[in-house]
Amino acid sequence: MPDTSSNAALPALPPLTDQAERLIALGVPELAGMPADEIRAYARSATAGDGCGTGDGSGTGPGDTLLAVHPDRVPASALTPLLRRGDKPGFVVVDMPDVDDFAPAGVELPDSALYVVTGLDRGDRMANWSPEEALPALAGEGRTPLVLGEGIHWVLQQPAALERNHCFMTIGSRLRKANGTLDARTPAIWISNGTGRDGRERRDAPKVGWCWWGNRHTWLGFASGTGRGECNHR
């Protein structure tokens, strides 16, 4: 089977226990309304493989597993300002005030406040594809597109995942309109050029925005994983 990985040059993710400490230092437990020790205990259990399963048989291998807080507990609008690139904090574009209404679509998240995502890939090979083209291709590879919150968690833990000309969409999140149809916008995470309504002071800052479902961008891949799972930690 051909190697479809497209971010082999990225450093490995930190151990899950280190990821837990990173979230704690950022104040994520307070945002999620959970004790810091709950995140620590979960990370220890996930590292030990205590009742963990991602549904893809991959387990939770070192270096490719992300610790995530369910978006129902911490919305994207709360996580985004925690992003940093140099001294610039992350921000949500002004024309996306409904960012927290973008929910998992076509993907199933574990029914758990904390869970893991395995086999992360930035999807560089799909740069200049549209979301409409990328989604069936990912499914054909047995991969699952990341939701926005997972993409933000990834950059929080591995800032190198966001590079100029190598950023990514998170097409596992979509907005369903009142009439039941899906909004044509799809969330993405990239780096601001400081133009337009972003403001010059935000140049080089991490940016959560959107792109059209049918449009292509040479600098955006499609973030995905091989599976998601929860662990028994009590």
Side-chain angles (χ1 to χ4, degrees):
M1 182 175 179
D3 181 9
T4 58
S5 174
S6 60
N7 49 245
L10 291 178
L13 278 161
L16 291 174
T17 50
D18 289 356
Q19 292 184 42
E21 294 304 324
R22 169 76 171 149
L23 295 179
I24 292 165
L26 290 170
V28 173
E30 290 82 1
L31 294 174
M34 66 174 65
D37 282 345
E38 183 174 347
I39 297 182
R40 290 190 177 102
Y42 184 89
R44 288 194 298 267
S45 293
T47 300
D50 180 14
C52 298
T54 60
D56 65 344
S58 66
T60 54
D64 73 345
T65 304
L66 177 71
L67 175 61
V69 181
H70 198 287
D72 285 350
R73 300 295 294 267
V74 183
S77 63
L79 285 176
T80 300
L82 304 180
L83 295 171
R84 288 290 186 280
R85 193 168 188 271
D87 62 349
K88 302 292 180 68
F91 69 98
V92 179
V93 295
V94 297
D95 56 351
M96 202 177 183
D98 51 359
V99 62
D100 292 336
D101 295 329
F102 284 75
V107 299
E108 186 174 347
L109 304 190
D111 185 19
S112 172
L114 299 164
Y115 64 96
V116 293
V117 187
T118 56
L120 297 188
D121 184 80
R122 193 168 58 189
D124 294 355
R125 68 192 181 281
M126 292 180 175
N128 210 31
W129 291 33
S130 70
E132 188 174 22
E133 294 164 332
L135 185 61
L138 290 173
E141 296 172 2
R143 301 190 64 83
T144 177
L146 297 194
V147 300
L148 177 57
E150 293 166 351
I152 297 171
H153 274 86
W154 189 11
V155 180
L156 285 174
Q157 299 290 356
Q158 189 185 68
L162 204 63
E163 302 177 69
R164 282 210 173 272
N165 302 315
H166 295 291
C167 301
F168 57 86
M169 297 191 200
T170 54
I171 60 175
S173 292
R174 299 293 303 277
L175 174 63
R176 193 167 294 279
K177 297 188 287 189
N179 64 5
T181 62
L182 289 170
D183 193 284
R185 294 172 297 164
T186 55
I189 307 173
W190 71 96
I191 299 167
S192 175
N193 284 325
T195 58
R197 288 183 289 181
D198 287 2
R200 285 182 296 177
E201 70 280 2
R202 282 177 164 163
R203 179 173 172 79
D204 293 328
K207 170 179 177 177
V208 170
W210 57 270
C211 302
W212 297 118
W213 179 251
N215 283 10
R216 299 171 177 171
H217 298 277
T218 59
W219 39 276
L220 287 173
F222 296 85
S224 66
T226 53
R228 298 175 177 84
E230 54 187 300
C231 304
N232 301 321
H233 65 288
R234 291 174 187 249

